[in-house]
Amino acid sequence: MRLLLRQEKQMRREYAKQQTIGPVLSLDAIRDGGSMDEAAWLLDTRQRIDSEVLTAELTDAFCKTLTDSQRSIFRECLIEGKSQSAYAAEHGMTRQSVHDAIALIRKKAKIYFA
């Protein structure tokens, strides 16, 4: 019984992995007369140009609603991942003021992106 459960679990993992990866694209499959959909070769599932452009446009429009200091904090801390302490030290601010600014940015973002 344990062996069957282990095999079933392994099959589920492999199936889930195949679902996230997508179809295997191989010239051998087409050459051997496999039932490969040619449209799969034309479509890159990892490329999301439309959503990337839309996200960039929304981010730029959102940045226009922020003050200059909030925009700087947004880009350096929230987008680029700089720590609040490092940002505060570079710009002569307290860490708490940077933290408060981030809280205001997030509050505006909830309203803007809702």
Side-chain angles (χ1 to χ4, degrees):
M1 191 65 165
R2 288 182 187 172
L3 177 65
L4 290 174
L5 289 173
R6 195 175 325 134
Q7 287 176 343
E8 180 185 8
K9 191 174 188 179
Q10 183 180 7
M11 288 173 53
R12 284 186 191 161
R13 286 181 182 161
E14 288 177 11
Y15 179 75
K17 194 183 298 182
Q18 288 176 355
Q19 294 300 318
T20 58
I21 294 173
V24 176
L25 303 177
S26 172
L27 293 174
D28 295 333
I30 292 175
R31 184 181 61 220
D32 295 338
S35 60
M36 177 70 69
D37 182 18
E38 289 184 21
W41 286 95
L42 302 174
L43 180 64
D44 184 3
T45 59
R46 294 170 289 159
Q47 190 176 25
R48 303 278 186 243
I49 294 174
D50 293 341
S51 63
E52 289 174 3
V53 169
L54 183 61
T55 302
E57 289 176 358
L58 283 173
T59 302
D60 289 342
F62 174 66
C63 283
K64 291 178 182 175
T65 66
L66 301 174
T67 64
D68 291 336
S69 64
Q70 287 175 340
R71 192 175 306 118
S72 175
I73 292 170
F74 176 72
R75 287 211 172 105
E76 291 187 35
C77 292
L78 298 176
I79 302 290
E80 296 172 6
K82 185 180 288 188
S83 71
Q84 295 176 17
S85 301
Y87 182 87
E90 287 179 12
H91 294 278
M93 301 171 70
T94 63
R95 193 202 60 78
Q96 184 62 41
S97 62
V98 174
H99 178 75
D100 293 341
I102 288 175
L104 287 173
I105 292 168
R106 287 181 175 150
K107 186 176 179 180
K108 281 185 180 182
K110 282 183 182 180
I111 295 168
Y112 187 83
F113 293 111

